[in-house]
Amino acid sequence: MSQKATIEIEGKKYELPVIKGTENELAIDIKTLRSATGGVITIDPGFKNTGSCESAITFLNGEEGILRYRGYSIEELAEKADFLEVAFLLIFGELPTKEQLEKFDTDIKANAHVDEDVKKIIDGFPKAAHPMGVLSSLTSALVAFNPSSVNVDSEEEMYNAIVRIMGKFPVLTAWTYRKHSGLPLDYGDSSLGYVENFIKMMFKKPADEYKSNKVVLDALDKLLILHADHEQNCSTSTVRIVGSSHAGLFVSLSAGINALWGPLHGGANQAVIEMLEAIEEDGGDTKKYMAKAKDKNDPFRLMGFGHRVYKNFDPRAKIIKKSADNVLGDLGIEDPILDIAKGLEKEALEDSYFVDRKLYPNVDFYSGIIYRALGIPTEMFTPMFALGRLPGWIAQWREMRLNKEPIGRPRQIYIGEQKRPFKKIKDR
Ligand code: SDX
């Protein structure tokens, strides 16, 4: 029997339907609220209590620290799947058969070429340009070279746009890094797998043979899986709302890249390393930074800590922390900031300020330590997050379009001046 919610406004009662998801989450369906009440709306800055959609892609339980892609636990996927398999799962809803995965891989490789004229756009950026700004610009610019990927209505047109961006985005990400590092823009090698090809495009030095490194490949593949989707986070909500105007996939993704750049969101992985390096330079004085994080008059926050949904350990942070130990061990790297990070985590988890607010390490707290060990510069950490999140953004955009969701257009409560007559400048 479907449940109802009753609200009373100015002495009048209204009943609203309550919907239940497959994991027994409940939501009050307010689709009819404004018309039923003659104009009453809800308000919820940051949408902390508001659902934007019903989605079948990713399930989070913040209290229990659960994350599942299409019903599969993140722990199993990180252990047993590879990134391209997970990308297929997120976008199309099922783990691919061998044939499906081979076709997906072949179609992506067939579309991995990036027009040589894109290099002229890259050349226009100063070397010091932040890679996220370059990457979002290049992603938008792709429209000029792939006009048929803009107005995609059929599933086939969507598929073609999807394999195009899945093929080109790793190239744009690698080229962004190489421009930043003063290296020639390397093309990939279609005999390699998706992630290994990306590593080669990133790191192959002009005069050296590319040598595969299984530790680096496994670590990066796992990191990309862990970043692949996270339901309606800030950047995904941006991709969905831009796409809801029927703007094309590439420009919707470009908007998502810009939202991810913010230090409160994906930009936190860069901010965490900068914070840990500052603490190291400050003699490892973690207590000083803990005090700053708790001081309401100090804008400093403990980067990599806290989460809108997780009020328990971020399951991704647990996996990444374990992987950081393994990768540094396998590569024989001693990185003092890993010890600083662990010390900071221990202190925070014993400090009532963090415990009372349920602030735990999130996905960004340890990821940068692995990227650093893999030789990825700090400014490239958030582009790495974007590369991981690409299939999730695509999956969410595709679901929104296939569900024919309406254009996103929130209402507001006006709190400005009431009607007043124009004043001549001499009277102001
Ligand atoms: C990502 O949404 C997603 O799913 C995102 C993501 C994904 O995969 O897409 O998981 C990726 O963005 C992870 C988050 C990365 N950001 C950071 O690590 C930046 C540091 N964290 C915070 O800025 C903060 O925790 C947020 C932005 C992540 C969440 O902020 P909320 O949900 O708006 O919570 P809030 O700001 O209302 O904080 C509640 C309280 C406040 O104190 P009081 O006013 O109650 O006294 O906790 C405090 C905050 O001041 N607080 C922190 C803190 N985070 C929250 N205090 C110190 N350091 C922090 N990191």
Side-chain angles (χ1 to χ4, degrees), residues 34 51 69 73 77 90 116 122 141 152 203 239 252 313 315-316 334 364 367 391 395 414:
R34 195 169 186 279
Y69 296 160
S73 77
L77 291 170
L90 284 167
E116 277 289 297
I122 295 179
V152 290
F203 296 118
V239 169
S252 303
F313 256 92
R316 302 166 297 177
E334 287 284 318
D364 293 311
S367 55
Y414 176 70

Side-chain angles (χ1 to χ4, degrees), residues 143-207:
V143 170
F145 301 90
N146 302 273
S148 65
S149 291
V150 180
N151 299 315
V152 290
D153 291 316
S154 73
E155 283 209 55
E156 189 199 351
E157 288 169 331
M158 269 184 217
Y159 181 81
N160 293 335
I162 287 167
V163 292
R164 274 198 194 106
I165 194 67
M166 282 294 293
K168 298 177 196 311
F169 197 76
V171 181
L172 297 182
T173 307
W175 283 6
T176 298
Y177 161 70
R178 292 180 78 89
K179 161 77 186 182
H180 198 63
S181 311
L183 290 165
L185 305 184
D186 190 16
Y187 276 103
D189 173 348
S190 58
S191 69
L192 299 175
Y194 189 82
V195 177
E196 179 147 36
N197 187 26
F198 169 72
I199 294 170
K200 178 177 182 280
M201 286 190 285
M202 281 278 284
F203 296 118
K204 183 184 173 306
K205 291 285 182 288

Side-chain angles (χ1 to χ4, degrees), residues 4 56 93 128 132 165 175 191 213 215 219 257 280 283 318 366 369 379 382 401 416:
K4 297 270 183 206
M132 283 298 273
I165 194 67
W175 283 6
S191 69
N213 179 322
V215 172
I257 294 168
E280 187 195 20
K318 279 187 193 171
Y366 286 104
I369 290 167
E379 285 205 324
T382 313
R401 286 298 304 273

Side-chain angles (χ1 to χ4, degrees), residues 83 195 219-228 384 387-389:
F83 180 60
V195 177
L220 196 51
D221 197 280
K222 183 176 285 192
L223 275 171
L224 294 173
I225 290 172
L226 293 168
H227 286 81
M384 296 306 299
L387 181 65
R389 188 51 54 89

Side-chain angles (χ1 to χ4, degrees), residues 46-104:
F47 311 114
K48 294 190 177 187
N49 306 280
T50 301
S52 60
C53 62
E54 294 174 73
S55 176
I57 299 170
T58 292
F59 171 67
L60 300 190
N61 177 313
E63 282 64 40
E64 294 172 39
I66 294 172
L67 171 57
R68 296 194 200 117
Y69 296 160
R70 299 283 189 180
Y72 295 96
S73 77
I74 194 65
E75 292 80 5
E76 274 214 279
L77 291 170
E79 206 46 51
K80 300 173 184 168
D82 72 30
F83 180 60
L84 203 59
E85 263 182 307
V86 170
F88 186 99
L89 168 68
L90 284 167
I91 296 168
F92 302 109
E94 295 295 339
L95 284 168
T97 62
K98 188 169 175 299
E99 295 71 27
Q100 286 171 326
L101 187 59
E102 281 167 1
K103 180 180 184 311
F104 193 46

Side-chain angles (χ1 to χ4, degrees), residues 286-415:
T286 50
K287 292 206 178 333
K288 172 179 160 189
Y289 287 82
M290 288 285 285
K292 281 169 64 69
K294 298 190 291 187
D295 178 357
K296 288 301 163 203
N297 301 317
D298 188 329
F300 175 80
R301 284 198 156 185
L302 198 60
M303 301 313 276
F305 255 77
H307 198 276
R308 173 60 58 76
V309 174
Y310 290 123
K311 301 307 170 192
N312 196 325
F313 256 92
D314 181 332
R316 302 166 297 177
K318 279 187 193 171
I319 299 170
I320 295 173
K321 178 181 177 183
K322 190 159 153 278
S323 181
D325 279 326
N326 298 341
V327 169
L328 270 66
D330 293 345
L331 295 176
I333 294 171
E334 287 284 318
D335 188 347
I337 67 162
L338 176 57
D339 299 330
I340 293 174
K342 288 180 177 175
L344 214 48
E345 176 189 340
K346 187 172 179 307
E347 276 180 56
L349 298 183
E350 291 164 358
D351 183 301
S352 61
Y353 172 93
F354 290 86
V355 173
D356 295 350
R357 290 169 179 78
K358 298 183 177 162
L359 303 177
Y360 291 87
N362 60 47
V363 67
D364 293 311
F365 191 60
Y366 286 104
S367 55
I369 290 167
I370 300 181
Y371 290 140
R372 219 161 101 111
L374 302 183
I376 294 169
T378 307
E379 285 205 324
M380 278 299 294
F381 288 5
T382 313
M384 296 306 299
F385 193 144
L387 181 65
R389 188 51 54 89
L390 180 69
W393 284 334
I394 292 170
Q396 300 272 352
W397 187 93
R398 180 174 179 271
E399 179 180 73
M400 176 275 303
R401 286 298 304 273
L402 291 180
N403 289 352
K404 298 193 183 333
E405 289 185 12
I407 186 168
R409 200 271 183 224
R411 305 303 297 252
Q412 63 162 30
I413 291 294
Y414 176 70
I415 55 170

